[in-house]
Amino acid sequence: MTAPSEVIPYLLSPSPGSYAMFLPPDMSSVKQFRCELRRTLEDNGFSSDNIMQIELAADEALTNAVAANVSCDCDETIICRWRIDSAKFTLYILDYGSGLSGESPVPDNDKELLRSNQTQCFSTFLDHIKNHQSKKPETLPYNGSGQKHKNMGKGLKIINAMMDSVKVMFHGEGMVDEAPAGFKVMGSIVALEYDRSKHL
């Protein structure tokens, strides 16, 4: 039996190609989100390679959103909204924590985590990510109980390497801005874009 306060994530589709999920700040929601995301991408003709890249970036972004809420002792619902318009995929993830703001931009010389380095194949790139993450486990809730989670660290670099466009914004006091001068930040909004026509 479900507790009254527990949020059950489910997919909303208010219009064709438009989707939304409302997720608790718990790592179990990442798996549910990934399943629905994959299904909608498949339904819209994205290839398995496209889906793998989008899933990796989206998984990392949502994991960071969960961690951001947890670090602020916040149990507010995380909102994931995405749109698929022909070849273009756009995802917004809104959290109520510090989000990805503490990470530095992707440096041009970070060959370990940038797929733009043509000498590095995709499987090698994934191996570097797994190796890095396995060294930095963090405790995050999974079905309500704290568990060590290794998918932490270098999140924004991984997301940048997978997506065509990444933008981090901040929200608070009814405002949204990339540089939140003058208002109290209540959380982050990460916007990801991927155009499959660029990845044929």
Side-chain angles (χ1 to χ4, degrees), residues 68 92-103 156 167-191:
Y92 297 93
I93 298 179
L94 182 147
D95 68 51
Y96 287 87
S98 57
L100 293 162
S101 60
E103 294 192 35
L156 191 52
K167 184 184 286 188
V168 180
M169 297 166 285
F170 303 92
H171 65 91
E173 300 178 340
M175 300 174 69
V176 175
D177 202 331
E178 290 181 56
F183 72 87
K184 181 183 176 185
V185 172
M186 295 175 65
S188 298
I189 303 171
V190 179

Side-chain angles (χ1 to χ4, degrees), residues 39-137:
R39 186 181 60 74
T40 61
L41 290 167
E42 288 171 348
D43 289 349
N44 284 275
F46 280 68
S47 72
S48 57
D49 286 344
N50 295 155
I51 293 170
M52 186 188 308
Q53 285 189 228
I54 292 169
E55 275 189 323
L56 179 59
D59 185 289
E60 191 69 28
L62 182 52
T63 297
N64 276 281
V66 171
N69 272 35
V70 170
S71 70
C72 296
D73 295 319
C74 177
D75 60 1
E76 289 283 347
T77 299
I78 295 168
I79 301 169
C80 296
R81 182 171 177 117
W82 65 101
R83 179 151 190 81
I84 302 171
D85 185 6
S86 186
K88 190 173 180 182
F89 166 82
T90 307
L91 169 67
Y92 297 93
I93 298 179
L94 182 147
D95 68 51
Y96 287 87
S98 57
L100 293 162
S101 60
E103 294 192 35
S104 57
V106 182
D108 292 337
N109 62 356
D110 192 350
K111 293 182 175 68
E112 181 180 301
L113 285 173
L114 285 179
R115 285 185 57 240
S116 58
N117 173 15
Q118 296 301 315
T119 63
Q120 187 178 68
C121 69
F122 187 64
S123 62
T124 304
F125 173 78
L126 290 177
D127 287 342
H128 282 306
I129 292 171
K130 290 173 186 172
N131 182 54
H132 172 80
Q133 291 172 335
S134 66
K135 298 173 185 174
K136 298 182 70 176

Side-chain angles (χ1 to χ4, degrees), residues 8 16-17 20 32 34 38 41 45 50 75 114 125 128 146 152 160 166 182 186 196 198-199:
I8 303 297
Q32 294 166 315
R34 191 189 307 124
R38 183 185 307 121
L41 290 167
N50 295 155
D75 60 1
L114 285 179
F125 173 78
H128 282 306
M152 300 300 299
N160 267 290
V166 178
M186 295 175 65
R196 70 181 178 199
K198 298 178 181 177
H199 303 271

